[in-house]
Amino acid sequence: MTMELHQIMRERRRRAMLDFLKECPGYASNIPIIADVVHSVGIKSTPALIEESAAWLARKGLIEIIGEGREVKLTATGLQVALGRQSVDGIRMPDID
C-alpha cells in the first residue's frame, strides 16, 4: 500500500470509530468490539490498529481512554466531530447521504 492509501485508511478508521461510539450507550465501548465493528464496515482493523487510532484520538481530545485502555468514550468535542459539526485534520468528514 502506498503512504497515501495508508493515510486514507487511518482517516476512515478514525471516522468509523467516532460514528460507532456516538451510537453506543454512554458513548463508550471497548477496543475488541470497536475493532469488530470497524472491520465489519470494510475497514481493515485489528485491536492493535484500533488502539493506535484510539491513542491518536485521545491526543486530539476526541475520546477518553478509560481504565487499562480497553475501553474508550467520546468527549463532547469528539461528539461534535462525530456529528459532522466540527472537522479535525486526520479524520474523514462524514459522507453526505
Side-chain angles (χ1 to χ4, degrees), residues 3-19 38 43-45 49 52-53 56-57 62 81 88-95:
M3 193 61 139
E4 184 176 311
L5 185 52
H6 281 294
Q7 181 61 26
I8 290 168
M9 294 303 290
R10 280 191 296 269
E11 290 178 4
R12 286 183 172 272
R13 185 176 301 109
R14 294 167 187 156
R15 164 58 50 197
M17 290 173 67
L18 295 178
D19 287 345
V38 173
I43 302 166
K44 179 184 173 190
S45 294
L49 288 170
E52 176 185 306
S53 292
W56 187 93
L57 291 165
L62 305 176
V81 174
V88 173
D89 286 339
I91 299 175
R92 183 179 172 88
M93 287 297 291
D95 293 329

Side-chain angles (χ1 to χ4, degrees), residues 14-95:
R14 294 167 187 156
R15 164 58 50 197
M17 290 173 67
L18 295 178
D19 287 345
F20 174 64
L21 287 169
K22 80 177 179 198
E23 301 300 328
C24 291
Y27 302 122
S29 188
N30 66 53
I31 295 292
I33 290 174
I34 296 169
D36 287 347
V37 169
V38 173
H39 188 76
S40 76
V41 297
I43 302 166
K44 179 184 173 190
S45 294
T46 62
L49 288 170
I50 296 299
E51 287 173 357
E52 176 185 306
S53 292
W56 187 93
L57 291 165
R59 285 192 302 273
K60 297 290 183 179
L62 305 176
I63 65 167
E64 174 185 353
I65 298 175
I66 301 168
E68 300 295 315
R70 299 301 289 170
E71 186 172 359
V72 298
K73 181 177 181 175
L74 273 180
T75 64
T77 303
L79 180 59
Q80 293 304 305
V81 174
L83 293 170
R85 296 179 182 157
Q86 188 173 331
S87 65
V88 173
D89 286 339
I91 299 175
R92 183 179 172 88
M93 287 297 291
D95 293 329

